[in-house]
Amino acid sequence: MQRSIAREWQFFTVRPELVEGSELARITPLAALRANGIERLRTVVVDQLHGAVDQLHSLKSSRPSIAREWQFFSVRPELVEGFEFARFKPVAALRANGINRLVTYLEATKMAKKGGWATFPHDNAAFVYEAAALKKNWARLHKGDAEPFPSGDSAKAVENAWRLFHAGDFQGAYEAGIAAGLDGYNVANKAACIFNNYLETSDAKKQKAYEEIAARCEELQAAQQKNANAYYLAAYALGRYGQLIGVAKALAQGIGGKVSKALENALKLEPKHADAHIAVGTFNAEVIEKVGGMIGKMTYGVSKEAAVENYEKALKLNPDSAVARTEMADGLYKLFGDKKMKDVERLYAEAAACEPKDAMECLDVEAAKAEMED
């Protein structure tokens, strides 16, 4: 492993005259390597890169041409296999989007380092899709979000990020997705959405995360206008954000209109997006619950009929979905109250009996079980 690695890491040598006054000018992993080996390299590089985020914010505005000078961050992953920063490839990102992408990546890893995400709390042995198993099971795993199998230059990196997602390593999937660039944003955003919905306990952290997800979705929409999940995940994040601050307050802030438009775009691009149909059903139900059917229809075009129709479409498109059932159950109760209690109980029982195929579905099923026990 360490055979000649000191010579291979010369691209980490920094040219101080290019970044005068920056912490980055003091990154000297070669000396650290000679003294302490590869572990010391990991510590020095990762710690000092994270410490440079604030200065990068300043540099990106005052020194826009500096993006061309950051080539010493290029990484040869085979030399550091297994380390987090083996996936650190900002050179390609910089060529595409400039210094902003480097800042995005560093902020993502900085956040993870400061407070590691909670781990998936269930056995994930059945959710590990190695090698060809991922592609073989892709259609079933993505029946809800209609995400296409990764392609293009970053395909392998994005595939690996999805493997981490399906196995329940949401933090790993998030970081790997961000590192893969724009093509990895969907997996990064979905990992952050699911983690914050089910496993994050701080409402303040959730709100911040959903705001960041929505911002990345806007960036992806601008770059990939036909990416359905760039719109769906924006709606998901904004919808969850609205639930945290209160639906009435969210509607007053104009979030409802943004959610509705994002879902409209997602379904226009992918009419068979089952999860988007679930979200449309829930949007209709929550608006009607808060403002009433008449005002809801006049202001947002919602109706009880549209809610039920979209829930039913979602179940038809993805009949194995636990979350389609629990969301429909909650929506029916919001719309009809105790009149639909038998349907609500049936849907929850069906959701609890679903067989999960990945970590997200496992969390969906466990949530249904927990609700039934309350």
Side-chain angles (χ1 to χ4, degrees):
M1 179 72 172
Q2 297 183 32
R3 46 190 171 80
S4 60
I5 195 167
R7 292 195 302 275
E8 305 292 352
W9 280 83
Q10 291 181 17
F11 42 72
F12 271 105
T13 302
V14 173
R15 294 173 59 188
E17 69 276 11
L18 295 175
V19 285
E20 185 176 358
S22 168
E23 289 295 318
L24 293 168
R26 294 200 295 272
I27 294 178
T28 53
L30 287 180
L33 258 182
R34 292 183 183 118
N36 300 300
I38 190 72
E39 280 301 323
R40 181 66 185 135
L41 173 66
R42 174 184 170 87
T43 301
V44 170
V45 174
V46 174
D47 285 353
Q48 292 196 28
L49 287 180
H50 289 155
V53 172
D54 291 339
Q55 301 210 14
L56 282 170
H57 274 299
S58 174
L59 286 169
K60 72 178 182 180
S61 59
S62 64
R63 300 282 300 281
S65 63
I66 199 170
R68 295 192 299 271
E69 310 294 344
W70 285 75
Q71 294 188 18
F72 45 75
F73 277 106
S74 179
V75 170
R76 294 182 58 181
E78 69 275 10
L79 297 175
V80 286
E81 187 176 359
F83 290 118
E84 287 299 314
F85 59 87
R87 297 193 298 268
F88 188 73
K89 300 178 183 177
V91 172
L94 285 170
R95 286 174 184 153
N97 298 300
I99 196 115
N100 284 322
R101 281 288 297 117
L102 177 57
V103 174
T104 298
Y105 181 87
L106 290 178
E107 286 179 330
T109 55
K110 179 183 179 184
M111 180 190 73
K113 186 187 178 199
K114 279 189 171 180
W117 298 16
T119 58
F120 180 65
H122 306 287
D123 181 14
N124 73 340
F127 310 142
V128 177
Y129 294 93
E130 298 290 356
L134 180 66
K135 188 169 186 178
K136 181 179 179 181
N137 290 276
W138 189 265
R140 167 61 183 82
L141 290 168
H142 291 272
K143 189 174 281 189
D145 65 7
E147 176 76 7
F149 191 76
S151 61
D153 294 340
S154 59
K156 291 299 181 185
V158 178
E159 282 181 40
N160 287 333
W162 279 113
R163 285 190 178 91
L164 294 170
F165 173 86
H166 293 303
D169 183 356
F170 298 118
Q171 179 175 350
Y174 170 75
E175 292 177 3
I178 293 293
L182 289 172
D183 287 345
Y185 270 25
N186 279 347
V187 60
N189 288 337
K190 189 167 185 177
C193 282
I194 299 305
F195 171 80
N196 281 281
N197 185 46
Y198 282 118
L199 301 177
E200 179 56 71
T201 57
S202 166
D203 283 351
K205 288 183 179 179
K206 288 181 183 181
Q207 287 185 30
K208 186 175 186 298
Y210 289 136
E211 288 176 322
E212 291 172 349
I213 293 163
R216 284 194 299 273
C217 284
E218 286 188 8
E219 181 185 354
L220 187 57
Q221 291 165 17
Q224 301 180 9
Q225 297 179 13
K226 294 184 179 181
N227 188 326
N229 279 317
Y231 297 95
Y232 165 70
L233 289 168
Y236 185 105
L238 290 170
R240 295 301 185 196
Y241 178 85
Q243 290 172 340
L244 285 168
I245 67 172
V247 174
K249 184 176 180 180
L251 292 175
Q253 292 180 3
I255 292 175
K258 292 179 181 179
V259 171
S260 179
K261 184 62 177 177
L263 291 172
E264 179 185 337
N265 287 334
L267 286 169
K268 188 179 296 183
L269 290 166
E270 181 45 78
K272 294 183 178 181
H273 199 300
D275 291 347
H277 281 294
I278 295 172
V280 171
T282 297
F283 177 77
N284 278 259
E286 290 190 340
V287 170
I288 291 170
E289 182 189 35
K290 291 301 178 185
V291 304
M294 183 177 295
I295 294 177
K297 187 175 183 63
M298 291 173 59
T299 308
Y300 298 101
V302 299
S303 69
K304 293 181 179 180
E305 294 78 14
V308 174
E309 179 184 351
N310 276 279
Y311 285 135
E312 290 176 343
K313 281 183 179 178
L315 273 173
K316 185 175 181 179
L317 289 166
N318 191 9
D320 301 314
S321 173
V323 74
R325 288 172 167 82
T326 56
E327 288 288 328
M328 183 174 185
D330 293 345
L332 290 177
Y333 191 77
K334 287 182 173 74
L335 293 168
F336 304 104
D338 290 339
K339 294 179 181 179
K340 291 290 184 178
M341 184 55 70
K342 286 187 178 180
D343 288 327
V344 170
E345 292 174 345
R346 172 183 57 79
L347 286 163
Y348 263 97
E350 290 177 358
C354 286
E355 180 184 355
K357 293 298 183 182
D358 74 352
M360 178 191 72
E361 292 186 7
C362 179
L363 292 170
D364 294 338
V365 171
E366 293 300 320
K369 291 178 180 178
E371 183 69 21
M372 290 182 69
E373 292 172 0
D374 289 343

